[in-house]
Amino acid sequence: QLQLVESGGGLVQPGGSLRLSCAASGFALDSYAIGWFRQAPGKEREGLSCISRTGGITNYADSVKGRFTISRDNAKKMVYMQMNRLKPEDTAVYYCAADLVWGLCTIRPKEYDYWGQGTQVTVSS
């Protein structure tokens, strides 16, 4: 059974950092591009970053470019997102998702087939 489990969320002060992890099980992680998304209360799900199957291609939303970095370790079946210089507007539930696709990855949520349950990130003083 394909499963994605996020971890690493929590409460952090503005300007701080967190590293989110996405653990994959039940499938070959290197067959999927992985994306990170977030959803704040009352807002639509927002695509943040994605990484291709081998990790050679990454894409970022303008809202996080230069602050967030996505990476993956297929041998460990893990995907990460390092988040620096966090802002209160980054507060949301963060999700990872898998997309069975070759080549480029996308940050459009509708393209993703499998989703984790989410982890809460709160940026507040």
Side-chain angles (χ1 to χ4, degrees), residues 8-14 17-18 86 91 120-125:
L11 174 64
V12 63
Q13 292 187 341
S17 298
L18 283 175
L86 284 161
T91 296
Q120 176 70 45
V121 171
T122 303
V123 185
S124 175
S125 55

Side-chain angles (χ1 to χ4, degrees), residues 2 24-34 53 72 74 77 100:
L2 189 150
S25 62
F27 69 105
L29 180 64
D30 58 4
S31 294
Y32 291 79
I34 301 294
R53 293 156 46 123
R72 68 191 294 161
N74 286 339
K77 303 189 79 171
L100 184 63

Side-chain angles (χ1 to χ4, degrees), residues 39-117:
Q39 189 163 18
K43 294 188 176 181
E44 292 187 355
R45 190 162 295 189
E46 177 187 9
L48 303 175
S49 65
C50 67
I51 188 166
S52 61
R53 293 156 46 123
T54 62
I57 297 170
T58 57
N59 286 315
Y60 296 91
D62 288 343
S63 59
V64 304
K65 198 173 294 182
R67 299 190 299 126
F68 293 8
T69 303
I70 190 171
S71 61
R72 68 191 294 161
D73 185 334
N74 286 339
K76 294 183 178 179
K77 303 189 79 171
M78 296 292 293
V79 180
Y80 308 97
M81 186 164 71
Q82 177 67 40
M83 306 188 297
N84 298 329
R85 305 201 309 274
L86 284 161
K87 306 173 183 179
E89 51 264 44
D90 293 320
T91 296
V93 177
Y94 283 68
Y95 301 88
C96 64
D99 180 17
L100 184 63
V101 66
W102 290 88
L104 299 178
C105 63
T106 175
I107 58 172
R108 291 181 297 180
K110 66 178 183 179
E111 301 295 330
Y112 283 76
D113 306 301
Y114 305 100
W115 292 81
Q117 83 292 344

Side-chain angles (χ1 to χ4, degrees), residues 2-14:
L2 189 150
Q3 190 173 17
L4 296 167
V5 179
E6 303 92 339
S7 61
L11 174 64
V12 63
Q13 292 187 341

